[in-house]
Amino acid sequence: MEELRSIIGKVATGATLTREETTSAFDSMMSGHATPSQIGGLLMGMRVRGETVEEVTGAASAMRNRMPRVEAACDPVGIAGTSDTPIYSVNVSTCASFIVAGVGIPVAKHANRAASSGSSAADVLARLGVKVDLKPEAIARCVQEANIGFMFASAHYPAMQRVGQIRTALGTHTIFNLIEPLSNPARVKRQIVGVFSPEWVQPLAYVLKNLGAESVWVVHGSDGLDEITLTGPTFVAALEAGIVRTFEVTPEEAGLPRCRNDALESSDAEANAVALQNVLDGEPGRFRDAALLNAAAALVVAGRASTLQEGVALGQESLDGGAAAARLKRLIAVSNA
């Protein structure tokens, strides 16, 4: 407790923390040894001053150390976002995950259990018949047998319940919004991470490098989405062979047309579930294009495609040949077994 007070005092002066100090502080938070005042004070102190790469690395390490692990026998790719944007859209990354799985790349997708829009991945999958409240062993079986599994934060982070109410009371994003998508229970080495602000695109790539990732794209759409967007350019920081480079991608590079900001907006889980099923069944449209674009990037990260255009072509085969839809059917069966 005395060490935590010292760390809070250091943050209060505007000083930054070492990786080890941050790990210690967040371990105290998630173990129940910190008071609500201490948790709120530390989170806001770091938020106002601005978190560093070392601090985010330390906090993510503390969270990873406390989560139950999903022991996938394969080497899955991860797709996740910070889910802290003001735009409510159809579940593009969820649809993209089935496309990638249909190509033959196993997917361990990490997502929030519930979203303020009422249309989180969990809501949509549940309406499609997938059992979403699974233990780690069952999720590992889904990844192994269905080539895809979904992990939801509240189910895998019992420690997060201790800080959840405080985060809600603060009413602003904190370092937890950054470290949740970095804490995939399957310990994926290859992943796409969408982030709520362009200022975090490059830093999070360095954080993931610190955490042992091998191939990563951190993305932010120019329209504010925490995914690759169809409306314009997307800012990307890629970790490749230990080197981080930054660039922009556009829909045109993938051979896809742009669309308006409102073309993919939605906040209704039932409608989103129907729309996702329709895409998997081969329906054309903007939802399909957006899912193909994000799936293409995941295939590049996974080493299956060398360009976005090649990734889109593979994704189209996955959809048109019925492989993506088959992955959903298999996931429904395995998750309910």
Side-chain angles (χ1 to χ4, degrees), residues 108-132:
K109 177 165 170 50
H110 191 213
N112 289 324
R113 179 61 179 84
S116 57
S117 66
S119 186
S120 69
D123 299 315
V124 171
L125 289 169
R127 282 166 172 78
L128 290 169
V130 177
K131 186 176 181 181
V132 296

Side-chain angles (χ1 to χ4, degrees), residues 183-199:
S183 304
N184 188 306
R187 296 295 200 276
V188 295
K189 299 291 186 181
R190 305 169 299 168
Q191 67 183 119
I192 290 185
V193 176
V195 67
F196 57 80
S197 170
E199 70 179 280

Side-chain angles (χ1 to χ4, degrees), residues 6 12 54 72 81 86 90 101 111 127 146 171 176 186 204 219 227 244 319 333:
S6 175
E54 286 296 288
V90 289
R127 282 166 172 78
F176 278 105
L204 284 196
V219 303
E227 60 193 25
V244 174
L319 287 171

Side-chain angles (χ1 to χ4, degrees), residues 2-14:
E2 191 59 40
E3 181 182 5
L4 180 59
R5 290 195 187 100
S6 175
I7 290 172
I8 295 172
K10 185 174 180 179
V11 171
T13 69

Side-chain angles (χ1 to χ4, degrees), residues 20-21 62 70 81 101 111 159 179 208 246 249 273 282 293 300 330 337:
E20 294 72 23
E21 287 173 328
V70 172
I179 65 176
L208 283 162
T246 59
V249 296
L293 181 55
V300 170
R330 185 60 180 153

Side-chain angles (χ1 to χ4, degrees), residues 77 96-107 146-148 299 318 323-324 327:
V77 65
S97 298
F98 287 107
I99 296 173
V100 173
V103 173
I105 301 297
V107 177
N147 219 39
I148 186 168
L299 292 170
S318 175
R327 291 306 91 204

